[in-house]
Amino acid sequence: MSYDLMVFNCSKVPNELGQLKQYFYEHIENDMPKDNTPHIFNTFLENIKKVFPSINDYPEDKTEYACNYSIYEDFIYMCFGYSVAKKAHDIVKRQAKADNLGFWDTSQSFDLTFPITLPGDKWPMVLEASWINNKRQFVYNYEEVRKFLMQMKTPGQSSICLTGRYGNYIQAGGYNNTFIVETRKYINAIEYQHLRADLKSGISDADTVVTINNFNIKVPLSQILSQNQVCLLFREFTDGIKPDNLDISWKKLEI
């Protein structure tokens, strides 16, 4: 078995799952793959094949990363080995967004509820915390996120993480008015930065302690945020609204 994905021209291919499936089966049965790549897919293939070379042209040290590409006029169908399924899912989805293409987790191995993602899609995001039912849930706006941020009042409710459609996340640790905030930001389909919020203006560099899930973690005092500041950073993550008068820099962390 293989792990299968599809990227497609959003202006030519149906975006609703039922219609997309019908479109796909009609074209995969009746159309011949293209000998020449349609222009809309050139940049996508150039970048994605650096990670997942074609099954007809792969180096010996990348056997498990080989991909079978079927290129059509308005979509590309890709078959990967299951050993690289999660990596293929994440990288292809981010590269599709970068090149303004739609993405379909055809195998529905990871995007079970929302298998189709369009370049402009932002919601739902996934919110994870130990006190949430099933420890995770989909959220559809910032106010749903804020409701849980305001519940962070005890050590048992001191860690929360919000992940976007493309793998970027923001997480807060702490409770009451003693928090740290970290984020992961992808700079391309593969590379990312892990950052921590740092309030430098007029704040001592002395160390202090923040409690997260009953663990005491020593951090610089400049990295301690209030609950209101945490809410502002989560709103920036969700809605792109940059906080006014919040002098925050992001310190790169090595993991």
Side-chain angles (χ1 to χ4, degrees), residues 33-52:
K34 304 282 290 184
D35 292 328
N36 298 317
T37 302
H39 178 73
I40 192 172
F41 300 122
N42 281 339
T43 303
F44 172 83
L45 283 174
E46 179 183 349
N47 285 292
I48 213 68
K49 284 184 175 181
K50 294 175 184 176
V51 186
F52 303 103

Side-chain angles (χ1 to χ4, degrees), residues 4-6 8 17 20-21 24 102-106 115-116:
D4 303 337
L5 295 174
M6 175 174 152
F8 56 91
L17 183 58
L20 177 56
K21 285 183 177 179
F24 168 72
F103 171 90
W104 178 23
D105 181 1
T106 314
I116 299 171

Side-chain angles (χ1 to χ4, degrees), residues 18-194:
Q19 295 177 0
L20 177 56
K21 285 183 177 179
Q22 182 179 354
Y23 170 94
F24 168 72
Y25 290 122
E26 287 177 357
H27 285 270
I28 208 81
E29 290 177 4
N30 299 321
D31 297 355
M32 292 293 293
K34 304 282 290 184
D35 292 328
N36 298 317
T37 302
H39 178 73
I40 192 172
F41 300 122
N42 281 339
T43 303
F44 172 83
L45 283 174
E46 179 183 349
N47 285 292
I48 213 68
K49 284 184 175 181
K50 294 175 184 176
V51 186
F52 303 103
S54 171
I55 200 166
N56 299 316
D57 183 27
Y58 62 86
E60 291 184 5
D61 62 342
K62 283 202 168 186
T63 302
E64 66 176 322
Y65 286 87
C67 174
N68 187 12
Y69 295 90
S70 298
I71 303 169
Y72 292 82
E73 182 66 33
D74 294 313
F75 67 93
I76 301 176
Y77 191 65
M78 292 166 281
C79 302
F80 301 87
Y82 258 103
S83 62
V84 296
K86 185 64 169 70
K87 182 174 287 188
H89 168 273
D90 295 349
I91 292 175
V92 171
K93 181 189 277 190
R94 285 189 287 270
Q95 192 62 55
K97 175 179 173 59
D99 295 311
N100 203 37
L101 300 172
F103 171 90
W104 178 23
D105 181 1
T106 314
S107 292
Q108 285 190 242
S109 297
F110 303 102
D111 295 318
L112 299 178
T113 307
F114 300 97
I116 299 171
T117 302
L118 304 180
D121 285 349
K122 180 170 65 174
W123 305 101
M125 297 184 185
V126 177
L127 191 69
E128 297 174 273
S130 61
W131 73 92
I132 294 176
N133 290 339
N134 300 317
K135 296 188 177 180
R136 70 196 301 266
Q137 71 176 47
F138 289 111
V139 289
Y140 295 83
N141 56 63
Y142 166 71
E143 286 304 319
E144 290 185 72
V145 178
R146 184 177 182 277
K147 177 182 70 174
F148 287 101
L149 293 175
M150 299 305 292
Q151 294 174 11
M152 299 178 74
K153 301 290 187 181
T154 68
Q157 297 182 182
S158 57
S159 178
I160 198 165
C161 181
L162 179 67
T163 305
R165 294 291 289 267
Y166 294 96
N168 295 312
Y169 67 67
I170 185 169
Q171 57 187 10
Y175 61 97
N176 286 337
N177 263 344
T178 305
F179 296 89
I180 59 173
V181 173
E182 296 177 1
T183 186
R184 179 175 71 188
K185 294 183 179 180
Y186 276 90
I187 55 180
N188 55 45
I190 302 170
E191 300 173 301
Y192 65 85
Q193 292 181 327
H194 189 200

